[in-house]
Amino acid sequence: KEVTVSLSLTGEFDVEVSQNPLTKASSSNDAYAINVYYDRDGDGVQDDIYAYGLFDNVADMTITLLSNHKYKFICTLVKDAKNTLYYGQAFNNTYSGYAYPFHTSASNSTQITNRFIIGTSTYFSGIGTGYSHIITTTSPSTSNYTVYPKVNRFYGITSDYEPVPNGTISIYLKRAVFGARFVVKGLQEGVLTVDA
């Protein structure tokens, strides 16, 4: 039996997500990569790929699941991805898309489609790593691959989800960055110094 459910993202980021159905889609500059795994053999271990998707619109995050299986959802969010990540022909690809952290097991570049690709062995192989392919001021080329990128990134996992009709999968996203970000508010005068 097939069951359609929606995703709800919460956590350490400043995005308001409505759990009510939205009638009009609105994209943003943020990008969300999601891998979906399930226990195909019914053994309770969610290690078989079920679907994947790259989104810029949270309202489109609905998926049809098979009942009597448990699922695991892994998500990474890159804030302002469209302005910070490189978009183009990465490595040996002949078409444009986003590379790391949206690199898949089948391709170096991925397009935002705002839908899940179900029934595939393809998955995002880079969302569990810190790699990113970023835009630089020198030249936006395939050489802009960095291990410690200056991106605002979040990561979360929800496992052991058993689908119910019109259910909601909640994924809590935690900040996952390599570095420190300081936001100074209310400083009228003076000097702020940070020692590493």
Side-chain angles (χ1 to χ4, degrees), residues 75-154:
C75 176
T76 192
L77 156 63
V78 177
K79 297 288 289 176
D80 201 29
K82 293 178 183 176
N83 293 319
T84 57
L85 297 180
Y86 170 75
Y87 181 89
Q89 296 180 357
F91 305 102
N92 296 324
N93 275 9
T94 58
Y95 64 91
S96 293
Y98 293 99
Y100 283 105
F102 306 135
H103 177 276
T104 70
S105 58
S107 173
N108 291 317
S109 298
T110 306
Q111 296 280 338
I112 293 175
T113 60
N114 284 312
R115 66 184 179 92
F116 283 103
I117 311 299
I118 298 174
T120 177
S121 60
T122 301
Y123 61 95
F124 291 108
S125 57
I127 66 173
T129 69
Y131 304 131
S132 286
H133 204 180
I134 60 171
I135 296 171
T136 66
T137 55
T138 54
S139 89
S141 69
T142 59
S143 63
N144 302 330
Y145 169 75
T146 181
V147 178
Y148 303 110
K150 294 179 180 178
V151 295
N152 199 2
R153 190 165 163 194
F154 300 82

Side-chain angles (χ1 to χ4, degrees), residues 26-71:
S26 60
S27 62
S28 73
N29 286 328
D30 301 338
Y32 307 80
I34 303 169
N35 283 336
V36 182
Y37 299 88
Y38 75 126
D39 63 335
R40 180 176 53 203
D41 302 324
D43 57 4
V45 180
Q46 300 120 55
D47 59 355
D48 296 298
I49 189 69
Y50 180 80
Y52 77 102
L54 186 57
F55 297 82
D56 65 359
N57 183 13
V58 177
D60 289 332
M61 293 181 187
T62 61
I63 186 169
T64 301
L65 304 175
L66 302 172
S67 60
N68 300 321
H69 293 279
K70 289 185 178 180
Y71 291 83

Side-chain angles (χ1 to χ4, degrees), residues 1-7 50 59-67 71 73 116 118 161-169:
K1 182 179 176 181
E2 294 184 342
V3 177
T4 300
V5 298
S6 60
L7 275 69
Y50 180 80
D60 289 332
M61 293 181 187
T62 61
I63 186 169
T64 301
L65 304 175
L66 302 172
S67 60
Y71 291 83
F73 294 80
F116 283 103
I118 298 174
Y161 177 78
E162 297 182 49
V164 295
N166 300 314
T168 301
I169 301 130

